[in-house]
Amino acid sequence: HNRLILPNYLRGCIKPELGSPKWDSKLQYLLSCAGFVVGLGNVWRFPYLCQTYGGGVFLIPYLIAFVLGAIPVFFLELAIGQCLKKGCIRLWWHISPYLGGLGYTSLILSFLVILYYNMLLSLVLWYLINSFRNPLPWSSCPTDTKLIEECHKSTPTNYFWYRYTLNISTDIGNSGPLQWWLVLCLAACWLLVFICTVRGIESTGKAIYFTATFPYLILTLFLIYGLTLPGAVHGLLYFMTPNLRKLNNPRAWLDAATQIFSSLSLGFGGHIAYASYNPSRNDCEMDAVMIAAINSLTSLFASIPIFSILGFKATVAYEECLERNVKYITKAFRNESITVDSSAFWLSYLNGTDINKLASLKLANCDRQKFLDQSVSGTGLAFILFTEIVLKMPGSNTWAILFFLMLFSLGISSMFGFVQSILTPLTESRIVSRYIRKEAVCGLICLTAFLLGLVFTLRSGNYWLEMFDAFAATMPLLIIAFFEVIGVVYIYGMKRFSADVEEMTGRPLKCYWKATWQFFSPGIMFLIFVFYVLLEPPASYNTWNPNYVNFPAKESKKYPPWAVVISEMLENVPCLMIPFGAIYQLWRIVLKKKLFQFLEAVLPPSMEGEQ
């Protein structure tokens, strides 16, 4: 009679229910998590940040954010998901009803991300299909006289991307019609995602064996080939040579922290969902360290072939620049003995003998470092820079097919995790599970996302895609991760959680984890949030306008007021679910208390006792 009976939310880890889904093997779980975290950003975002912020010196803020911020939050998500065996909505409600809105924030954020992430896969699919054409369609300008001027003012690769693929408008407000080829690619991608996720982990677990491992095979091939390209060593030296002055730029620290947090897919609820299908006795600490290490090592591994190819591109551009200069000098001075190799000598000689005539030629300043400094990320790296480089590589069709097939495999395995982040909490809902089959829920998710994603297939669709990428999945992730740590450490309880982790792993929790969860991780995330607010650039975007005076340079425009409102909604509305959930729970308690007071005042004592 003196034993304290604890409510459910104060007990330890929950045992899996009989008949609940589970992973076929530990390898399947690890590959699914690795496929979720290793995505497009590892290939086209991380190398760009290294190139922008001083090469290898960027790893200093990256590793600090990784050790003190990202990996502790990652371990926390795996551990709490494995312990409580619930999706993100029921899990946070279980810990505290006042945290119920946190799960809805993760769900909304995951849905916003799948809208534009699958559009990126559609663009990759479009380029993959066109890679089978010989010659490659971005190798030369079209013969249509009405459009050839735009192509010659820029480049064939720019023209193929902006005009042939996107048929882009000059403004976000000029939407235009749907582009049918992009609609078909988007439909094909969503059909593939539906087929692979229709039965949850039971279906994604089978596909992940290919989608999570195939990219590493292609990356290895690119690594071997990239190292043999002329100029590859210049690219690698550029990557490995640190520029310590870049550490004075606070933006470098902010981008390093946001890169590792978004790269590990923290805050989406996918890791919580994946871990909930694990047995209670599983070493989630080792899983967290292993998967986080795979993610960061993949970024470094991908950077080697990327910078090798960038070095090759810079060398080709440098040599072409020298050849143009030699051509002009040879023509002006009528000296056929001048070559690229002897151009430095002749320039020095002519500077001393005929400097005025030489200056009138207006020769280009050929600097290999300048070409290496030309950084580009995201779609620009994949669809413009690489397509331009691949034209200069022997067997260009083969390398283009392999590259876009690799990007598609990386992206589709991440999509599995995003969809599972939504599917798991929805199918746990009593109403949904009672009346709707899991297959129908998955179908509704994919169909709704496809219909809403049609906005990205408009002529202004790329501007919308860039807006979603910039505002939907940056600050909200930090806020979710911050409240996750606060919820587990200070509401669920550090002692209880330590005991749960010890029960799951079979060994006491290390002081490192306790210190980071209690102090360092929340502190770093708070600092990131402050710097993000202070350093956030004004709401503007770059447009492709053939009538722009400085074309092919992009024309910078400010977002119109209605677009600013939408961008603010993308960034803030998901986060509002956290306070709304707490207010709703408080309102329920107050309402219930008032109801009891009303019943006590109205009902007679006898009936009150029966109640």
Side-chain angles (χ1 to χ4, degrees):
H1 291 287
N2 294 328
R3 184 165 59 92
L4 178 63
I5 305 298
L6 297 175
N8 286 334
Y9 66 88
L10 290 178
R11 296 176 186 171
C13 292
I14 298 173
K15 294 182 179 179
E17 297 178 3
L18 187 65
S20 61
K22 61 181 181 180
W23 298 103
D24 291 342
S25 65
K26 181 65 173 288
L27 177 62
Q28 188 183 70
Y29 165 67
L30 293 176
L31 287 176
S32 297
C33 287
F36 185 27
V37 300
V38 178
L40 299 175
N42 296 75
V43 174
W44 68 27
R45 177 68 176 166
F46 181 84
Y48 159 76
L49 293 175
C50 288
Q51 187 180 15
T52 304
Y53 297 118
V57 78
F58 176 74
L59 296 178
I60 295 175
Y62 179 86
L63 289 174
I64 291 174
F66 174 81
V67 172
L68 298 181
I71 192 171
V73 179
F74 184 52
F75 177 30
L76 182 141
E77 286 193 356
L78 295 187
I80 200 67
Q82 179 177 309
C83 178
L84 298 184
K85 298 286 185 293
K86 301 179 188 299
C88 59
I89 293 178
R90 287 186 64 197
L91 181 140
W92 297 113
W93 187 273
H94 181 93
I95 290 176
S96 172
Y98 290 99
L99 289 175
L102 189 58
Y104 288 99
T105 300
S106 295
L107 189 144
I108 294 172
L109 197 60
S110 297
F111 186 76
L112 290 175
V113 169
I114 65 172
L115 293 181
Y116 76 86
Y117 202 89
N118 217 29
M119 186 62 213
L120 291 173
L121 287 186
S122 305
L123 294 169
V124 171
L125 178 61
W126 170 251
Y127 266 79
L128 176 61
I129 294 170
N130 280 278
S131 296
F132 287 92
R133 294 169 60 183
N134 191 17
L136 290 170
W138 55 81
S139 61
S140 60
C141 290
T143 56
D144 189 340
T145 55
K146 294 180 181 179
L147 301 175
I148 198 169
E149 183 180 359
E150 179 184 352
C151 183
H152 280 296
K153 282 184 176 180
S154 56
T155 62
T157 52
N158 274 321
Y159 178 84
F160 185 83
W161 168 242
Y162 287 109
R163 187 58 53 211
Y164 191 82
T165 299
L166 301 176
N167 193 21
I168 198 166
S169 63
T170 58
D171 189 86
I172 193 172
N174 183 13
S175 297
L178 298 174
Q179 311 301 300
W180 62 266
W181 56 93
L182 296 181
V183 174
L184 291 179
C185 289
L186 185 62
C189 287
W190 273 117
L191 180 61
L192 180 61
V193 170
F194 170 72
I195 292 172
C196 293
T197 59
V198 63
R199 300 191 65 188
I201 64 168
E202 297 173 12
S203 51
T204 58
K206 305 295 188 296
I208 205 68
Y209 285 108
F210 173 78
T211 59
T213 56
F214 179 73
Y216 290 96
L217 173 63
I218 304 301
L219 275 176
T220 303
L221 292 177
F222 271 104
L223 173 67
I224 297 171
Y225 182 74
L227 292 175
T228 64
L229 291 172
V233 65
H234 298 291
L236 293 176
L237 287 174
Y238 183 87
F239 171 52
M240 297 176 183
T241 304
N243 183 356
L244 295 176
R245 289 177 297 176
K246 295 288 186 178
L247 289 178
N248 297 327
N249 185 356
R251 190 81 205 182
W253 293 82
L254 175 62
D255 285 347
T258 53
Q259 167 63 19
I260 184 58
F261 271 81
S262 60
S263 180
L264 281 174
S265 302
L266 302 176
F268 289 110
H271 296 305
I272 292 175
Y274 277 166
S276 68
Y277 301 119
N278 274 335
S280 298
R281 294 296 180 90
N282 174 63
D283 194 347
C284 50
E285 179 184 11
M286 184 60 67
D287 295 344
V289 174
M290 187 186 307
I291 297 166
I294 288 173
N295 173 66
S296 294
L297 290 175
T298 300
S299 297
L300 292 171
F301 182 64
S303 296
I304 297 175
I306 291 294
F307 274 93
S308 298
I309 294 172
L310 288 176
F312 166 69
K313 177 184 178 296
T315 299
V316 170
Y318 172 70
E319 291 176 350
E320 289 177 349
C321 179
L322 290 177
E323 288 174 359
R324 285 193 299 269
N325 285 350
V326 168
K327 182 179 178 181
Y328 294 147
I329 296 172
T330 302
K331 185 177 180 180
F333 292 92
R334 298 181 181 181
N335 187 341
E336 299 295 334
S337 63
I338 302 175
T339 63
V340 172
D341 294 332
S342 63
S343 60
F345 166 77
W346 281 105
L347 281 173
S348 177
Y349 172 74
L350 294 173
N351 264 323
T353 58
D354 203 343
I355 189 171
N356 292 329
K357 187 175 181 179
L358 185 65
S360 66
L361 297 179
K362 296 181 180 179
L363 300 177
N365 180 22
C366 299
D367 184 3
R368 198 194 309 267
Q369 186 68 27
K370 182 185 70 173
F371 294 114
L372 286 169
D373 287 336
Q374 293 175 354
S375 58
V376 65
S377 70
T379 54
L381 174 66
F383 303 127
I384 298 176
L385 180 62
F386 181 82
T387 53
E388 185 178 331
I389 295 172
V390 79
L391 294 173
K392 299 176 173 60
M393 298 165 63
S396 54
N397 283 83
T398 302
W399 291 112
I401 291 169
L402 290 175
F403 179 75
F404 290 112
L405 195 58
M406 176 192 71
L407 289 184
F408 194 83
S409 298
L410 284 171
I412 200 72
S413 56
S414 296
M415 277 296 297
F416 296 161
F418 288 128
V419 173
Q420 198 64 45
S421 305
I422 305 169
L423 189 60
T424 297
L426 286 183
T427 52
E428 286 180 349
S429 169
R430 294 179 182 178
I431 298 176
V432 173
S433 61
R434 182 178 300 177
Y435 297 106
I436 309 177
R437 292 175 57 87
K438 179 190 292 186
E439 293 82 356
V441 175
C442 184
L444 287 172
I445 293 171
C446 295
L447 179 60
T448 305
F450 165 70
L451 294 175
L452 292 176
L454 289 176
V455 68
F456 303 117
T457 65
L458 298 169
R459 291 191 63 193
S460 61
N462 195 58
Y463 303 136
W464 287 103
L465 191 149
E466 290 175 354
M467 178 194 288
F468 270 67
D469 187 40
F471 294 99
T474 304
M475 188 182 72
L477 289 179
L478 296 174
I479 294 176
I480 292 172
F482 178 82
F483 280 99
E484 283 181 345
V485 175
I486 298 300
V488 172
V489 174
Y490 296 103
I491 298 177
Y492 186 79
M494 189 71 244
K495 289 184 178 180
R496 290 170 53 205
F497 189 53
S498 299
D500 293 341
V501 173
E502 183 175 350
E503 179 185 346
M504 290 186 291
T505 62
R507 57 181 178 273
L509 187 66
K510 297 181 176 63
C511 295
Y512 159 73
W513 300 114
K514 295 180 181 179
T516 51
W517 287 335
Q518 290 178 301
F519 306 108
F520 293 108
S521 293
I524 285 179
M525 286 185 283
F526 180 76
L527 287 176
I528 295 171
F529 174 76
V530 171
F531 276 106
Y532 180 83
V533 173
L534 294 177
L535 299 175
E536 186 177 13
S540 62
Y541 65 110
N542 295 319
T543 64
W544 180 261
N545 184 4
N547 297 321
Y548 180 48
V549 177
N550 297 320
F551 183 81
K554 291 185 179 181
E555 182 181 7
S556 180
K557 292 184 178 180
K558 291 184 177 181
Y559 280 117
W562 58 267
V564 174
V565 171
I566 294 175
S567 65
E568 293 295 329
M569 289 176 63
L570 289 172
E571 200 166 39
N572 297 312
V573 168
C575 302
L576 292 178
M577 298 302 295
I578 300 174
F580 283 174
I583 293 170
Y584 170 72
Q585 177 61 20
L586 183 63
W587 176 77
R588 286 184 62 197
I589 293 174
V590 172
L591 192 66
K592 186 182 292 186
K593 184 177 179 180
K594 288 184 176 180
L595 180 60
F596 283 145
Q597 290 174 349
F598 174 76
L599 292 175
E600 288 178 357
V602 173
L603 296 178
S606 58
M607 294 183 63
E608 187 179 315
E610 293 174 5
Q611 292 294 327

